[in-house]
Amino acid sequence: MCRQSGCWGEKHVFGFSAELNGRRAVQHAKEQQGRGIVTVQENGMIIESAGAEDELTYHNRSDDQDLLNKLKRAGVSVKTYKKLEALIRRMNGDAFTTTDLSAHLAMTNRNARRIIASLCDYGLAECIGETSHATRGRPSKMYRLT
């Protein structure tokens, strides 16, 4: 098929798709602040720090309409939620603090608290207790995704 007749051949579609995924990978790499290689696959799978010990793999899509509705109301993107799930899996547990998230996701603790509070408001996360510190200060709240 040719471009002049208004039809696009398979090579053109593949080229466009590859270019789009390349742009997505560059955007994710910028968000990661240069902490590793980012790959975006055709199926929406994102691989951050590809090949490294701290590799993180997650999808940026979901077919779960209930989840999508709750995330929309909470003001949290599917990508952020799926990244949180992947990070928690990698941390070998289901309990986490906002400090854990902010350190691993290169975001401020305030932003991590805002995201988790929104997820809690819409039943996607819950506070399950507190941790005590050997030093002064308030105990950190422990959360888990539901």
Side-chain angles (χ1 to χ4, degrees), residues 2-145:
C2 68
R3 196 186 290 189
Q4 293 173 343
S5 68
C7 300
W8 288 82
E10 190 174 307
K11 288 182 183 178
H12 292 292
V13 172
F14 176 75
F16 175 74
S17 180
E19 180 181 347
L20 183 60
N21 287 336
R23 289 177 192 252
R24 287 179 181 151
V26 168
Q27 180 61 37
H28 289 293
K30 285 179 183 177
E31 291 170 8
Q32 257 196 190
Q33 301 173 349
R35 292 183 299 157
I37 296 170
V38 176
T39 304
V40 179
Q41 298 176 348
E42 280 294 315
N43 64 358
M45 178 70 74
I46 299 172
I47 304 169
E48 295 183 2
S49 301
E53 186 176 314
D54 62 341
E55 180 178 283
L56 196 61
T57 304
Y58 58 95
H59 277 87
N60 65 353
R61 302 177 190 154
S62 176
D63 293 329
D64 183 344
Q65 200 57 47
D66 184 46
L67 174 65
L68 293 173
N69 289 334
K70 287 180 180 179
L71 289 173
K72 185 175 183 178
R73 288 193 313 264
V76 176
S77 71
V78 174
K79 178 189 152 221
T80 299
Y81 183 78
K82 293 293 187 174
K83 190 172 184 175
L84 289 175
E85 282 184 326
L87 177 62
I88 293 162
R89 274 193 313 270
R90 190 181 76 201
M91 292 185 332
N92 295 323
D94 65 344
F96 59 90
T97 66
T98 55
T99 303
D100 295 334
L101 296 182
S102 64
H104 286 85
L105 298 177
M107 65 174 60
T108 64
N109 199 6
R110 182 177 181 182
N111 194 35
R113 284 193 310 269
R114 180 193 61 77
I115 290 169
I116 296 304
S118 291
L119 293 176
C120 287
D121 288 345
Y122 291 94
L124 296 170
E126 64 183 353
C127 182
I128 58 170
E130 296 180 338
T131 63
S132 59
H133 299 290
T135 60
R136 293 181 175 193
R138 291 184 178 168
S140 298
K141 291 183 179 182
M142 297 292 296
Y143 297 93
R144 82 168 157 225
L145 297 180

